[in-house]
Amino acid sequence: MSDQLLNYGIASYVSENILIVPFQTEFYADGIEAFRQEILKKIHETNNLKGMIIDVSQVNLLDVSNMKELESILSMSSVLGVTGYLVGLKPAVAVALVELGYEGNKLNIALNVEQAAKSIQEGEALKMRHDDELESDHESEDR
């Protein structure tokens, strides 16, 4: 399943129940709200989605405002029950963001798509084991 997200020309796709959004253009303030709405709509419409990865490895310039927008999108995905990750930050971008005062402690960040996907899958497996343990505890209490 692949389709274009808005006027950005972003080809998003779902792989192993993870929405992957490879961002290959700079962020512009006038389009970020529409981008956010489109991503949230896609999350809502995609069945059995476990996670979302926004890949910014092709983006050369991110400022604090852009990062806060991405943080907001990832937080909203979490509220919808989908674990979100930001991947592909270039070292120079990371240095500039920290120098501008951005901390990034509210984001799930991974080096690349593979690392994020593994974390999402491991988190889902852990959640399933926890749910099974809770169900088992309730069955024991009922006896």
Side-chain angles (χ1 to χ4, degrees):
M1 176 193 309
S2 177
D3 60 330
Q4 299 292 338
L5 278 175
L6 296 172
N7 299 327
Y8 278 98
I10 300 169
S12 67
Y13 59 96
V14 176
S15 175
E16 298 181 25
N17 294 330
I18 299 172
L19 174 63
I20 301 173
V21 184
F23 218 97
Q24 299 179 340
T25 185
E26 305 306 323
F27 287 82
Y28 298 102
D30 61 341
I32 197 74
E33 177 61 30
F35 173 71
R36 175 187 356 210
Q37 293 303 321
E38 191 66 23
I39 285 180
L40 295 174
K41 178 181 174 191
K42 183 129 176 114
I43 289 171
H44 181 72
E45 292 174 349
T46 305
N47 292 330
N48 301 317
L49 201 58
K50 296 176 184 167
M52 175 183 66
I53 299 170
I54 298 177
D55 181 1
V56 295
S57 60
Q58 299 301 311
V59 177
N60 294 314
L61 180 64
L62 285 171
D63 62 20
V64 174
S65 170
N66 299 144
M67 287 301 291
K68 289 187 181 204
E69 290 293 343
L70 289 170
E71 189 177 282
S72 173
I73 291 168
L74 293 169
S75 292
M76 290 176 195
S77 75
S78 178
V79 170
L80 291 172
V82 173
T83 303
Y85 272 83
L86 180 68
V87 303
L89 280 173
K90 293 183 178 181
V93 172
V95 168
L97 286 167
V98 170
E99 287 176 352
L100 290 170
Y102 185 76
E103 296 177 13
N105 53 2
K106 295 181 182 177
L107 289 175
N108 290 324
I109 299 176
L111 287 174
N112 54 47
V113 171
E114 294 78 17
Q115 187 183 64
K118 182 178 178 187
S119 294
I120 291 168
Q121 298 295 354
E122 288 173 352
E124 187 67 21
L126 183 61
K127 179 182 168 201
M128 289 172 61
R129 280 196 303 269
H130 178 64
D131 289 349
D132 287 346
E133 289 172 5
L134 287 176
E135 186 176 307
S136 181
D137 288 346
H138 288 303
E139 288 175 1
S140 295
E141 289 173 3
D142 291 341
R143 290 183 197 157

